[in-house]
């Protein structure tokens, strides 16, 4: 079974803090994705990566950056957290024609 | 550009009744289409997918969906609802059908919350 893990299920941070969300997959997948999920908006793509050190912006990249130093790990970085980044963050990795999702990190910025 | 519209943010059915969740898509390339389910406080789980083979796709937990190109639809159905089906359901379209340098990015609908009454 494919396993995608995220470093935290719940996280509370203060405005202006630098925040790291970590995602690890165990299936040697090349493509990995970060989404945020908000009620009534579904999931929106923030960034994705198709290889180590390779990244592409998604639909809502503003205020975020990413890092992929190893194939199995894809990190989402909030350089200076703001209250409008309070959300559920979901990581996914892609196998053959299918994305596998982690359990999500619910981030609250106060 | 791709987009997905799910008609109805909330659907309520009685246990044993038919479940119908509607999804319409827009895509400039042959689409791959997906339905995911999310139970409270969990990630997304794949229910079923259409990847240009049979137009009627069967998934897990008794769900199925039919790809109708002329209607640009991919509605999800289940003949008889069970209490355990209560969850949020997401329809998504992928650019993977384009082949080539596609990365398989997903565009999601807004989600439909399914409530099942006893």
């Amino acid at each position: 079974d494919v396993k995608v893990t995220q470093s935290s299920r719940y996280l509370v941070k203060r405005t202006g803090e630098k925040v790291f969300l970590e995602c690890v997959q165990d299936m040697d997948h090349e493509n990995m994705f970060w989404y945020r999920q908000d009620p009534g908006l579904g999931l929106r793509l923030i960034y994705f990566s198709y290889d180590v050190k390779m990244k592409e912006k998604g639909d809502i990249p503003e205020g975020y950056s990413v890092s992929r130093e190893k194939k199995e790990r894809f990190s989402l970085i909030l350089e200076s957290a703001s209250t409008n980044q309070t959300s559920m963050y979901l990581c996914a990795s892609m196998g053959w024609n299918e994305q596998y999702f982690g359990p999500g990190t619910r981030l609250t910025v106060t | 550009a791709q987009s997905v519209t799910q008609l109805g943010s909330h659907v309520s059915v009685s246990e044993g009744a038919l479940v119908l969740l509607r999804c319409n898509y827009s895509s400039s390339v042959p689409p791959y289409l997906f339905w995911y389910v999310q139970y409270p406080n969990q990630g997304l789980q794949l229910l079923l997918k259409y990847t240009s083979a049979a137009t009627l796709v069967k998934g897990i937990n008794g769900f199925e969906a039919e790809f109708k190109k002329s209607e640009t639809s991919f509605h999800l159905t289940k003949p008889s609802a069970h209490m355990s089906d209560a969850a949020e359901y997401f329809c998504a379209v992928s650019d993977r059908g384009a082949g080539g340098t596609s990365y398989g990015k997903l565009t999601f609908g807004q989600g439909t919350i399914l409530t099942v009454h006893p």
Side-chain angles (χ1 to χ4, degrees):
Chain A
D1 272 356
V2 175
K3 192 162 186 180
V4 179
T5 57
Q6 295 183 229
S7 50
S8 305
R9 293 298 306 273
Y10 300 92
L11 210 52
V12 180
K13 296 291 182 180
R14 294 190 181 274
T15 301
E17 279 193 82
K18 190 169 186 175
V19 181
F20 293 85
L21 303 182
E22 305 284 337
C23 175
V24 177
Q25 51 99 358
D26 65 356
M27 284 299 294
D28 202 37
H29 290 162
E30 291 183 345
N31 296 0
M32 296 184 73
F33 305 81
W34 273 106
Y35 298 89
R36 66 175 281 174
Q37 180 183 6
D38 300 288
L41 296 178
L43 280 76
R44 293 176 291 167
L45 181 64
I46 304 172
Y47 267 96
F48 68 99
S49 168
Y50 51 92
D51 202 349
V52 175
K53 297 191 186 294
M54 306 303 288
K55 59 187 179 185
E56 292 268 347
K57 293 180 180 179
D59 299 318
I60 52 165
E62 296 77 19
Y64 303 95
S65 62
V66 291
S67 172
R68 190 148 180 222
E69 297 295 321
K70 293 185 178 181
K71 194 173 187 179
E72 68 271 17
R73 188 180 298 269
F74 189 34
S75 302
L76 180 69
I77 303 159
L78 288 66
E79 295 289 343
S80 178
S82 64
T83 55
N84 63 13
Q85 292 178 309
T86 292
S87 187
M88 169 73 90
Y89 290 88
L90 291 160
C91 173
S93 74
M94 182 156 185
W96 180 247
N97 291 329
E98 180 178 334
Q99 290 192 19
Y100 299 86
F101 284 83
T105 296
R106 187 167 294 281
L107 173 67
T108 302
V109 183
T110 61
Chain B
Q2 304 169 99
S3 66
V4 174
T5 301
Q6 292 182 237
L7 297 174
S9 57
H10 290 80
V11 170
S12 181
V13 300
S14 298
E15 193 172 19
L18 171 73
V19 175
L20 171 61
L21 304 183
R22 299 178 186 274
C23 172
N24 288 89
Y25 71 91
S26 171
S27 178
S28 57
V29 299
Y32 285 4
L33 294 158
F34 304 81
W35 276 100
Y36 284 88
V37 61
Q38 185 180 37
Y39 299 102
N41 298 315
Q42 294 187 26
L44 273 66
Q45 178 183 0
L46 182 70
L47 273 178
L48 49 80
K49 61 183 178 184
Y50 166 78
T51 56
S52 74
T55 56
L56 181 63
V57 181
K58 294 187 184 299
I60 62 171
N61 301 338
F63 284 93
E64 63 181 38
E66 187 172 8
F67 171 66
K68 291 188 176 180
K69 184 178 179 181
S70 61
E71 298 178 8
T72 61
S73 69
F74 190 58
H75 301 331
L76 182 70
T77 60
K78 182 174 180 177
S80 178
H82 192 272
M83 297 294 289
S84 60
D85 294 327
E88 188 163 18
Y89 293 79
F90 293 94
C91 181
V93 60
S94 168
D95 65 353
R96 197 62 181 238
T101 58
S102 162
Y103 297 113
K105 293 179 293 179
L106 290 175
T107 300
F108 284 85
Q110 306 92 318
T112 298
I113 295 173
L114 175 67
T115 303
V116 182
H117 296 288

